[in-house]
Amino acid sequence: MAAPAKILVVDDEEDLELLMRQRFRRQVRRGEYDFYFAHNGREALDVLAETPDIRLVLSDINMPVMDGLTLLSQLEEIEANVSAVVVSAYGDMANIRTAMNRGAFDFVTKPIDFNDLQVTVEKTLRHIQVLEDALASRDRLVALRQELVVASQVQTSVLPAALPATEHFEVHAEMTPAREIGGDFYDFFSLDEYRMGLVIADVSDKGIPAALFTMVSRALLKAAARNHESPGACLHEVNQLVSQDNDACMFVTLFYAVLDLRDGHLRYCNGGHNPPRLICQGEVQEVPSSNDIALGIFMEHEFHDNEVVLCPGDALFLYTDGITEACNAQEEEFGEQRLDDLLSDAADAPVPDLIATVVDAVEEFAGGVAQFDDMTCLALRLNSNKPA
Amino acid sequence: MANQSSLTVASEEQDDAVVLCPTGRVDGTNVTILQGAVRERLEASQVRLVFDLVELNYISSAGLRVLLMAARDLQAQGGKAVFCNLSEQIRQVFEITGFDKILSVHGNREDALAAL
């Protein structure tokens, strides 16, 4: 059973204490109410200081030492977490208004009608309960938000650090999650002296479940990338692992490519992801599909390798659908055509500028409309082949 | 967060099957509507479902996940989910993600019903 509600009764009439105990004896006996008494505002403040979990104060107005209206001001001043009900003479509207303006929750009139008082006390206690529940929810929400902030930091910290451009290549990526934590991820890493792995991925749905799935997929792919030269073999392995016991039917679309800096050969496997763009001598083209599927939806699927060749000066642009499906206030989508036009115009820009051009254009297009989806871009340019 | 996108799911019975017709957009804000429509049928032991997507303008990955779960859950109960009348945009999403290879997708409702 819940702890009794602690009620402080403030009145200079000595016999009220007896009356209250008598009228509310059942509630006291059942452990619902616990009464405290004070004879003026000053005493009331002392009792509250000793018993900080009193939530309801029932106070007379005219009292010696400190009257009820002053007590209300004091309660406001010390930000006491109590709800007050004032007891005033019938028709004493001036004092009742003053009391209400000083934060009283309700009032009852003298002579006290105990049935009315009981209803008022019950109503006030319910109000207090609602307030306390709301405060507890707020505290939990604050705690949860704090956890999300930490989770977001963890998620960001596993993304690869920016790499300085070299004479052979430059790579850059940016991710803008729609919420605290995202369902997109990207990665780039060197496999050996000549070969680089590039990843972009988008997990079904958003929020915490998606974020957990991104962490798993990312780690599995990175491990598989060390074991298999073929991107298709990597995706096959990751698919096997994420498809097992996948009761929630989560899936991830993932493009993984291995670039050989010696000859510009880009071997890739596209697991159901939006086709990246190849910017070849200023011309933008889709990286051909490898006819594969998202990871997590079908364990038996055989993944394939495809290959394109980058010439020095060519760039590769990977993105998630948060870019092309960004919506403006008219519910138009940004779309692939706008993306291709931008890439074509900025074809020769350094890759960080190329990405900034796209991100800025999407932002301008959306015109402040909040986006539902994470937006991620990764771009790489081959500056020159690396001699073997 | 932004408002819920508009989605309604109409349903009708046809040839011992139930045809669900989602209208509007399915995304993270409203997938529970689609999920609820499927669950209702499962609970009524109606496990032969046609998803007629002719009025569906957009589906996010959250929506695809619900379709996948529906197909799996129906199959687990000895039923089947088939899909038809994909608009150009939905068809593209199915193709890119490979869902067209995993789910039973048909051009029109007649073919879909025949495939049940």
Side-chain angles (χ1 to χ4, degrees):
Chain A
M1 206 185 82
K6 295 187 176 175
I7 301 170
L8 171 60
V9 181
V10 193
D11 201 307
D12 55 342
E13 285 175 39
E14 296 285 345
D15 51 352
L16 184 66
E17 180 167 345
L18 257 172
L19 254 171
M20 291 293 288
R21 288 198 191 282
Q22 210 264 331
R23 292 291 187 146
F24 288 98
R25 64 184 180 281
R26 268 188 234 99
Q27 287 88 339
V28 172
R29 202 164 49 223
R30 288 200 294 257
E32 291 169 5
Y33 298 170
D34 196 356
F35 284 107
Y36 294 76
F37 293 89
H39 300 102
N40 58 57
R42 185 69 259 157
E43 275 184 30
L45 291 172
D46 292 342
V47 174
L48 283 170
E50 280 165 30
T51 320
D53 53 345
I54 290 174
R55 291 287 172 266
L56 173 56
V57 175
L58 184 66
S59 177
D60 189 13
I61 289 183
N62 296 316
M63 293 178 292
V65 188
M66 183 192 286
D67 64 25
L69 296 177
T70 311
L71 172 62
L72 285 173
S73 304
Q74 291 286 309
L75 291 176
E76 269 196 313
E77 205 160 291
I78 61 171
E79 295 179 5
N81 186 14
V82 295
S83 294
V85 173
V86 293
V87 184
S88 89
Y90 179 78
D92 184 8
M93 203 36 89
N95 273 332
I96 289 171
R97 284 308 317 154
T98 307
M100 298 302 274
N101 288 338
R102 292 186 184 176
F105 176 72
D106 204 350
F107 66 94
V108 292
T109 53
K110 282 184 175 180
I112 293 175
D113 169 348
F114 277 90
N115 288 330
D116 178 47
L117 178 61
Q118 187 176 335
V119 170
T120 307
V121 164
E122 281 171 7
K123 186 187 79 175
T124 311
L125 288 174
R126 277 199 302 276
H127 159 78
I128 291 166
Q129 191 58 49
V130 168
L131 269 182
E132 298 210 325
D133 289 350
L135 284 175
S137 301
R138 191 196 60 183
D139 289 349
R140 281 198 297 274
L141 189 65
V142 168
L144 202 58
R145 284 202 173 276
Q146 188 50 39
E147 283 181 36
L148 279 175
V149 168
V150 177
S152 154
Q153 286 161 356
V154 170
Q155 215 178 19
T156 311
S157 70
V158 302
L159 294 172
L163 285 182
T166 73
E167 58 173 310
H168 302 300
F169 74 94
E170 52 176 339
V171 62
H172 186 76
E174 257 175 52
M175 181 166 99
T176 315
R179 299 192 201 165
E180 287 88 342
I181 49 177
D184 282 2
F185 71 92
Y186 65 85
D187 207 351
F188 44 81
F189 41 82
S190 46
L191 289 160
D192 56 35
E193 206 184 329
Y194 302 107
R195 292 180 314 131
M196 277 202 66
L198 302 168
V199 187
I200 194 156
D202 185 355
V203 166
S204 52
D205 221 337
K206 300 279 143 333
I208 295 171
L212 290 171
F213 207 74
T214 60
M215 296 300 270
V216 170
S217 315
R218 186 189 159 277
L220 288 174
L221 182 80
K222 205 158 187 173
R226 311 274 164 198
N227 293 336
H228 306 281
E229 288 216 348
S230 142
C234 286
L235 265 57
H236 182 79
E237 183 174 312
V238 177
N239 181 48
Q240 294 276 311
L241 293 167
V242 297
S243 300
Q244 273 168 27
D245 307 317
N246 185 10
D247 290 343
C249 286
M250 297 290 286
F251 62 89
V252 54
T253 69
L254 190 154
F255 177 91
Y256 173 50
V258 177
L259 174 67
D260 194 322
L261 295 170
R262 287 169 294 199
D263 53 14
H265 279 236
L266 185 87
R267 259 175 112 185
Y268 63 90
C269 179
N270 189 349
H273 196 80
N274 301 59
R277 298 298 194 264
L278 190 62
I279 309 169
C280 214
Q281 294 175 340
E283 201 180 301
V284 179
Q285 56 198 69
E286 274 188 16
V287 172
S289 161
S290 60
N291 265 318
D292 288 304
I293 65 173
L295 280 62
I297 63 175
F298 185 57
M299 201 191 281
E300 282 74 28
H301 181 79
E302 294 290 337
F303 288 83
H304 311 84
D305 280 353
N306 261 25
E307 195 173 280
V308 289
V309 180
L310 274 70
C311 299
D314 290 353
L316 187 69
F317 182 85
L318 319 180
Y319 69 98
T320 58
D321 57 11
I323 296 286
T324 43
E325 289 175 7
C327 277
N328 63 14
Q330 287 77 47
E331 293 198 3
E332 286 168 328
E333 282 190 357
F334 186 75
E336 296 192 21
Q337 191 56 53
R338 282 192 184 83
L339 174 65
D340 289 348
D341 292 347
L342 281 170
L343 294 177
S344 172
D345 290 346
D348 298 321
V351 289
D353 298 347
L354 186 66
I355 288 179
T357 303
V358 172
V359 172
D360 291 350
V362 171
E363 227 164 72
E364 195 187 322
F365 175 82
V369 174
Q371 297 301 311
F372 291 109
D373 207 352
D374 308 330
M375 293 190 276
T376 305
C377 306
L378 188 162
L380 172 138
R381 188 184 304 280
L382 182 68
N383 291 330
S384 64
N385 289 333
K386 195 171 185 177
Chain B
M1 248 352 252
N3 294 330
Q4 194 181 67
S5 306
S6 84
L7 172 71
T8 53
V9 184
S11 68
E12 56 182 286
E13 299 192 14
Q14 192 175 345
D15 303 350
D16 288 343
V18 176
V19 182
L20 295 181
C21 240
T23 300
R25 295 166 58 89
V26 188
D27 60 32
T29 67
N30 63 23
V31 275
T32 47
I33 296 176
L34 184 60
Q35 218 163 2
V38 176
R39 196 181 314 117
E40 212 174 283
R41 297 300 162 180
L42 272 167
E43 279 166 5
S45 296
Q46 292 170 310
V47 293
R48 290 152 49 82
L49 295 192
V50 178
F51 290 84
D52 188 332
L53 306 183
V54 68
E55 299 291 346
L56 189 65
N57 309 318
Y58 172 82
I59 187 160
S60 75
S61 59
L64 287 176
R65 193 172 75 82
V66 169
L67 296 184
L68 195 63
M69 279 174 82
R72 185 201 57 187
D73 292 348
L74 291 164
Q75 200 172 4
Q77 300 215 7
K80 192 173 177 184
V82 294
F83 302 82
C84 66
N85 285 329
L86 277 60
S87 68
E88 177 55 26
Q89 199 161 10
I90 306 292
R91 194 185 54 76
Q92 244 185 32
V93 173
F94 269 56
E95 268 178 23
I96 289 176
T97 53
F99 270 64
D100 59 336
K101 300 184 183 72
I102 307 304
L103 301 175
S104 175
V105 181
H106 304 273
N108 56 48
R109 199 188 280 200
E110 232 168 55
D111 292 351
L113 281 163
L116 267 179

